[in-house]
Amino acid sequence: MLETLDAAAVHRWCHGGLEALRAHQREIDDLNVYPVPDGDTGTNLVLTLTAAREAVDSALHEEPRTPLGRLMGRMARGALLGARGNSGVIVSQILRGMADSFASTVAVRGTELAQALRQATDAAYSAVARPVEGTVLSVVAAAAEGAGRIKSDSLVTVARAAARAASEALDRTPHQLPVLARAGVVDAGGRGLCLLLDALVDTVEESDFTPSPLPVVVPSAAHDLHGCEGHGYEVQYLLDAVPEAVEKLRGDLAGMGDSLVVVGSGDGVWNVHIHVTEIGPAIEAGVEAGRPHRIRVTPLTEKRPGADSRGAVVVAAGGGLAALFEAEGAVVVDRNPSTAEFLAAVHACDAAAVVLLPNDANTQAVAVSAAREAEAAGVRVSVVPTRSPVQALAALAVRDSGRSFADDVIAMAEAAGACRYGEVCTAQRDALTVAGPCRAGDLLGLVDGEVHVIGDDLADVSRRLLDRMLGGGGELVTLILGADAPADLEDDLRDHTHRTWPFIELHCYTGGQPRYHLLAGVE
């Protein structure tokens, strides 16, 4: 058994964790309680850890004697760039918290592992705007508590305690989230984290494990672009402050300008950067938070060519749907993209300011992660939280280069929010929905993400879905037909809409998207 965790052990843990996730990928996918086709937590975690393993293998290929802290940092960085879905983003932050803890540690024994898990918990919770108990957050918090409660410096003892506490917390998740209790399952992301902690136990116990070979792939970085539209000065300074003061500072600065970046070095020193119209308030906020020094103010009068250009990145699947967005000047990425794929698309925009439209609640966390990475590299990026391609079409329709980027983003978000979205898909599993029980293979009509119609005939379910959406009002309807929609579905829905809702303006497109037979938007 290992007495201390070293770089070689982290390498084995990364490989073992990925193999464990691969072995249980289908099982975790099946834990998703919602019957729509996009809830693939197991697949997302496998893709996230695959990127982490590639980064670890690359680091050791470049520097075989990579120190523990640096290797753990590369693992976390790889996970961040490859993160898919909410669980992938959260797991990447758990690894980041552990890496930050190990960075200043000479030897990692039981006490240090417990401290790292506490820091990982803090990082995970800070990554989520509205933390929900009964999820992977509860599981990592329990792991940290269990590791700290054991009061041991034995690496194996603490690792076992953390894994055991995580498993017990996973069992409690149905009692914390009613939707899990109704489905009779535990949290999918929490199950994935338990597998990673079990793999850590196997590593420190030195159980046999032979990593499989994998080609080294290093994620590409974001393009270095600089945007300064709408503000006259760049203010930047170092700040000595405690984290609590920095959180307040972030909120204060957020209302003063844009391109705000506040990053910490881990030793109480923070780098603050913002574009503003008034210099004084930005510096005074720093004085209130702590001790600013190395203050630098740069007039934003000289802009390089293309500095006013804007771009858009849209997530979409299906040739027709992609063509619609490309006609609007957007760069299209396929469904379920990684952070690195978002960053590559931002680069492809070759613009100083880019808006991201994720078109999926599960992809939004990845988009936010990519936006942070791009901002740190100098690209001005905002995320409009679209849940469906029809909302993205509504958002793109109101773009206006004559107003500031910030105002344009607000207008796009308002347009997206004013567009109610509907979907027709096939249920992937038996489930209890707000419209009643459904069986695998049933057709589901969803409005704003909730099941409202259940049936077995596509045309009938689609008509009932439109009636349900238009019953709440609306003037403009957009329909996007999926890859397997029958040829007569458009005519059927046009006839029904014109008869039942004669004053509605209807636009219908062939999207060719998989999984969803019909997408509908009502404005």
Side-chain angles (χ1 to χ4, degrees):
M1 297 185 184
L2 294 179
E3 294 183 2
T4 62
L5 191 70
D6 56 16
V10 167
H11 183 217
R12 293 196 301 275
W13 175 38
C14 187
H15 280 261
L18 176 57
E19 292 306 314
L21 287 171
R22 281 177 172 165
H24 295 271
Q25 178 177 339
R26 179 63 182 274
E27 169 200 327
I28 300 174
D29 282 344
D30 288 344
L31 290 176
N32 290 283
V33 295
Y34 216 52
V36 298
D38 293 327
D40 299 327
T41 301
T43 301
N44 288 340
L45 288 175
V46 166
L47 292 170
T48 301
L49 262 291
T50 297
R53 188 179 75 166
E54 290 170 356
V56 167
D57 288 351
S58 175
L60 292 176
H61 177 75
E62 296 167 4
E63 184 184 356
R65 291 186 164 283
T66 304
L68 167 65
R70 190 182 307 165
L71 187 66
M72 191 73 198
R74 290 286 290 269
M75 180 179 174
R77 173 75 173 172
L80 175 64
L81 291 175
R84 313 263 182 150
N86 291 309
S87 294
V89 171
I90 293 172
V91 167
S92 76
Q93 293 307 296
I94 291 171
L95 295 175
R96 168 54 58 195
M98 295 180 71
D100 290 345
S101 181
F102 290 161
S104 57
T105 301
V106 176
V108 176
R109 297 184 177 87
T111 301
E112 289 76 21
L113 178 58
Q115 292 171 347
L117 289 171
R118 282 198 297 272
Q119 191 157 340
T121 300
D122 293 340
Y125 272 85
S126 66
V128 179
R130 296 180 181 84
V132 175
E133 298 305 319
T135 66
V136 63
L137 295 175
S138 302
V139 176
V140 69
E145 183 180 352
R149 189 171 54 241
I150 203 68
K151 302 298 182 185
S152 172
D153 202 34
S154 165
L155 181 63
V156 172
T157 300
V158 171
R160 288 172 177 166
R164 183 168 56 252
S167 178
E168 293 169 354
L170 180 67
D171 290 340
R172 292 193 296 270
T173 56
H175 303 288
Q176 296 171 294
L177 273 182
V179 66
L180 297 178
R182 287 195 296 269
V185 298
V186 295
D187 179 68
R191 172 60 174 147
L193 180 61
C194 285
L195 288 171
L196 291 178
L197 292 173
D198 289 341
L200 179 61
V201 172
D202 289 342
T203 298
V204 298
E205 288 179 344
E206 295 191 291
S207 301
D208 290 338
F209 173 71
T210 303
S212 56
L214 188 72
V216 174
V217 178
V218 180
S220 57
H223 192 50
D224 188 20
L225 298 171
H226 299 272
C228 52
E229 178 185 347
H231 298 284
Y233 301 93
E234 178 190 67
V235 177
Q236 190 165 6
Y237 51 82
L238 297 181
L239 178 71
D240 297 333
V242 298
E244 293 78 10
V246 172
E247 284 304 308
K248 182 178 183 302
L249 174 67
R250 282 196 179 99
D252 293 340
L253 291 178
M256 297 182 188
D258 57 22
S259 296
L260 174 62
V261 179
V262 182
V263 295
S265 62
D267 57 359
V269 180
W270 306 78
N271 192 315
V272 180
H273 170 281
I274 188 172
H275 291 175
V276 294
T277 53
E278 296 182 28
I279 302 167
I283 297 176
E284 290 167 6
V287 172
E288 183 179 344
R291 185 180 74 88
H293 53 101
R294 296 190 188 177
I295 300 171
R296 185 172 72 238
V297 178
T298 305
L300 299 173
T301 55
E302 294 184 9
K303 300 181 182 181
R304 67 184 189 87
D308 284 327
S309 62
R310 298 181 190 175
V313 175
V314 184
V315 179
L321 200 51
L324 282 175
F325 287 122
E326 288 168 353
E328 293 289 337
V331 173
V332 178
V333 294
D334 202 0
R335 63 176 296 277
N336 202 26
S338 67
T339 306
E341 288 169 339
F342 261 127
L343 291 174
V346 169
H347 179 191
C349 289
D350 195 23
V354 178
V355 64
L356 306 183
L357 300 112
N359 293 341
D360 182 328
N362 200 40
T363 304
Q364 184 176 335
V366 183
V368 171
S369 176
R372 291 188 187 127
E373 291 292 308
E375 288 273 4
V379 190
R380 191 176 178 192
V381 178
S382 289
V383 178
V384 174
T386 52
R387 300 297 183 92
S388 169
V390 293
Q391 289 188 321
L393 287 171
L396 291 172
V398 301
R399 284 192 299 174
D400 184 355
S401 60
R403 57 191 169 209
S404 71
F405 179 66
D407 288 343
D408 213 24
V409 169
I410 291 171
M412 294 175 72
E414 288 175 344
C419 177
R420 299 195 304 281
Y421 67 96
E423 303 149 326
V424 178
C425 65
T426 300
Q428 301 298 293
R429 54 184 65 85
D430 297 353
L432 181 62
T433 75
V434 295
C438 74
R439 309 283 294 180
D442 285 348
L443 290 170
L444 307 179
L446 298 91
V447 179
D448 293 339
E450 289 285 356
V451 176
H452 282 246
V453 181
I454 302 173
D456 56 10
D457 179 78
L458 178 58
D460 175 64
V461 170
S462 299
R463 289 191 297 266
R464 290 161 58 198
L465 174 70
L466 285 176
D467 290 344
R468 183 65 61 94
M469 296 179 72
L470 287 169
E475 299 174 350
L476 173 66
V477 174
T478 301
L479 300 180
I480 302 175
L481 304 176
D484 56 0
D488 59 350
L489 181 61
E490 178 180 350
D491 291 339
D492 185 299
L493 296 180
R494 282 188 181 278
D495 290 344
H496 173 76
T497 304
H498 290 156
R499 284 197 315 272
T500 311
W501 309 95
F503 300 107
I504 293 298
E505 180 181 349
L506 177 65
H507 296 283
C508 193
Y509 305 97
T510 299
Q513 71 273 6
R515 299 177 174 230
Y516 289 90
H517 315 299
L518 178 72
L519 301 174
V522 173
E523 302 172 60

